[in-house]
């Protein structure tokens, strides 16, 4: 973690009370002048930090814009090694792929507060106004491409875990969409909350890198996109940086479990959060052609959707799912 983010983390941890420059300098093994330079840099970024002669520094407020430093100061998991980004970019997936190609380590994060060319699954656009969280991570799991089929579900489950830790009721839509559950019934939803886009580079038997991009709708104050749900529908005033950090830590936990034990150990948790479980669905190809229809009966250890079509069990690896009894 950068020294500046460490200073910020200490100020956030103090929850508005003062932290002395001397204590910070001793903790990080640097001079007090160096601490005051980091504080000045944080102020330039929009953090309001008060300084009192005998008590030290206290954080009064954070910038509204989502900045990588704010997220780095809040994440807990050791997987997250390096933070890049800024107020906006074209697509964090494009930035993360560039970094991955030039050797960025596993755990590199690109996080921004707006995108001008956000990309979704199946060649769709991901509308990315400010007020949302847009991040991409570099993973190097060192496994064969054949073992990666469940990874989109692993990342979506991590996003759901993170959002749940903030007080939301997320539900999963196979393979890697996160919807906002109403809390009323196991499958009732109010709109799509988050989407996941995975891209990878691999040799025939070894994955070189995977970039997982996550978009989360956080605040609807700038207007609502049709069909979308927002974190602040259930957790009013939730800061984008807190959402980004919670999502990252959720993903890190699931990813660690996946790498050590495979998806089998996560499948039960995935199914228990699925808004499709037991419902009649249609799975379509990219061109709209129907690939399969049936009642959802969970997912297998490779992350494939299991469908009972009345005459037997089908397994589906890819496609776009629609509920036959609703507009999801
Ligand atoms: C989908 O549901 O279609 C996936 C949406 C993924 C959007 C995220 S936002 C951050 C990252 N950068 C992109 O351009 N796309 C992903």
């Amino acid at each position: 973690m950068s020294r500046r983010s460490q200073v910020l983390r200490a100020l956030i941890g103090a929850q508005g009370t003062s932290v002395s420059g001397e204590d910070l300098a001793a903790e990080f093994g640097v001079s007090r002048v160096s601490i005051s330079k980091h504080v000045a840099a944080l102020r330039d970024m929009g953090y309001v930090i008060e300084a009192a002669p005998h008590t030290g520094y206290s954080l009064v407020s954070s910038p509204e814009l989502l900045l990588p430093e704010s997220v780095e100061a809040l994440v807990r998991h050791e997987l997250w090694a390096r933070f890049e980004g800024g107020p906006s970019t074209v697509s964090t997936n494009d930035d993360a792929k560039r970094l991955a190609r030039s050797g960025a380590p596993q755990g590199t994060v690109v996080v921004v507060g707006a995108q001008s060319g956000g990309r979704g699954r199946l060649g769709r656009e991901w509308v990315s106004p400010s007020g949302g969280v847009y991040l991409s991570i570099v993973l190097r799991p060192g496994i064969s491409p054949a073992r990666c089929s469940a990874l989109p579900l692993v990342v979506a489950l991590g996003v759901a875990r993170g959002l749940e830790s903030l007080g939301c009721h997320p539900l999963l839509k196979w393979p890697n969409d996160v919807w906002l559950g109403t809390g009323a019934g196991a499958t009732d939803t109010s709109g799509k909350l988050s989407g996941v886009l995975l891209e990878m580079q691999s040799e025939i038997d070894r994955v070189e890198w995977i970039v997982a991009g996550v978009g989360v709708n956080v605040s609807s104050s700038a207007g609502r996109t049709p069909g979308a749900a927002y974190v602040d529908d259930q957790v009013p005033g939730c800061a984008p940086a807190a959402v980004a950090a919670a999502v990252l830590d959720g993903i890190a936990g699931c990813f660690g479990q996946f790498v050590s034990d495979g998806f089998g150990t996560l499948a039960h948790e995935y199914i228990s959060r699925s808004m499709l479980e037991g419902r009649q669905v249609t799975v379509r190809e990219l061109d709209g052609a129907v690939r399969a229809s049936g009642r959802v009966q969970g997912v297998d250890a490779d992350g494939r959707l299991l469908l009972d079509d009345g005459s037997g069990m089908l397994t589906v690896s890819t496609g776009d799912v629609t509920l036959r009894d609703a507009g999801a």
Side-chain angles (χ1 to χ4, degrees):
M1 183 187 301
S2 71
R3 188 73 70 216
R4 193 186 302 162
S5 295
Q6 283 179 319
V7 172
L8 181 58
R9 181 185 281 221
L11 293 173
I12 291 172
Q15 299 183 324
T17 62
S18 291
V19 187
S20 91
E22 202 173 336
D23 287 352
L24 288 173
E27 186 178 343
F28 302 131
V30 296
S31 67
R32 284 178 64 178
V33 174
S34 157
I35 294 295
S36 69
K37 280 187 184 157
H38 288 304
V39 168
L42 289 167
R43 284 181 177 139
D44 286 347
M45 290 159 60
Y47 293 92
V48 178
I49 300 168
E50 274 176 2
H54 297 294
T55 49
Y57 301 108
S58 56
L59 179 64
V60 177
S61 67
S62 299
E64 259 180 46
L65 281 175
L66 181 62
L67 296 173
E69 287 80 0
S70 319
V71 183
E72 186 174 19
L74 292 173
V75 287
R76 297 269 152 233
H77 204 285
E78 62 197 16
L79 177 67
W80 307 121
R82 170 177 165 187
F83 281 75
E84 302 284 340
S88 71
T89 190
V90 176
S91 158
T92 55
N93 262 40
D94 293 348
D95 296 346
K97 284 196 295 183
R98 249 188 315 272
L99 288 166
R101 281 191 200 104
S102 62
Q106 168 157 286
T108 298
V109 178
V110 181
V111 55
V112 300
Q115 295 181 126
S116 54
R119 295 186 288 107
R121 280 180 68 229
L122 310 171
R124 294 175 186 140
E125 179 193 10
W126 184 259
V127 181
S128 312
S130 68
V133 165
Y134 313 101
L135 62 86
S136 299
I137 59 183
V138 177
L139 301 172
R140 297 183 186 274
I143 57 178
S144 70
R147 276 194 60 206
C148 287
S149 55
L151 205 47
L153 288 72
V154 172
V155 175
L157 181 57
V159 172
R161 275 192 192 174
L163 293 173
E164 201 166 88
S165 74
L166 298 169
C168 275
H169 300 290
L171 290 174
L172 296 167
K173 177 167 178 254
W174 185 90
N176 50 5
D177 282 356
V178 183
W179 285 56
L180 188 62
T182 60
T187 56
D188 293 330
T189 54
S190 61
K192 182 164 164 175
L193 189 57
S194 171
V196 174
L197 174 68
L198 263 77
E199 300 182 81
M200 70 189 232
Q201 180 159 304
S202 117
E203 292 167 12
I204 196 84
D205 55 358
R206 193 182 65 91
V207 172
E208 226 167 282
W209 51 256
I210 291 166
V211 162
V214 180
V216 187
N217 305 321
V218 180
S219 164
S220 59
S221 60
R224 300 185 76 93
T225 302
Y230 297 80
V231 172
D232 72 2
D233 292 343
Q234 283 180 352
V235 190
C238 200
V243 173
V247 160
L248 285 169
D249 283 340
I251 294 171
C254 286
F255 178 69
Q257 232 174 301
F258 168 72
V259 170
S260 55
D261 306 324
F263 183 64
T265 60
L266 292 165
H268 181 72
E269 185 182 342
Y270 184 94
I271 293 164
S272 72
R273 293 165 189 259
S274 169
M275 61 185 261
L276 302 178
E277 196 56 21
R279 296 178 77 177
Q280 289 284 351
V281 302
T282 300
V283 186
R284 290 191 164 77
E285 312 273 1
L286 195 52
D287 63 4
V290 174
R291 172 174 292 183
S293 290
R295 190 175 293 280
V296 174
Q297 300 291 324
V299 293
D300 69 11
D302 293 319
R304 291 176 301 193
L305 188 68
L306 300 175
L307 287 185
D308 181 352
D309 73 349
S311 57
M313 202 65 87
L314 308 173
T315 53
V316 182
S317 310
T318 58
D320 207 18
V321 176
T322 47
L323 284 164
R324 281 210 244 153
D325 52 358

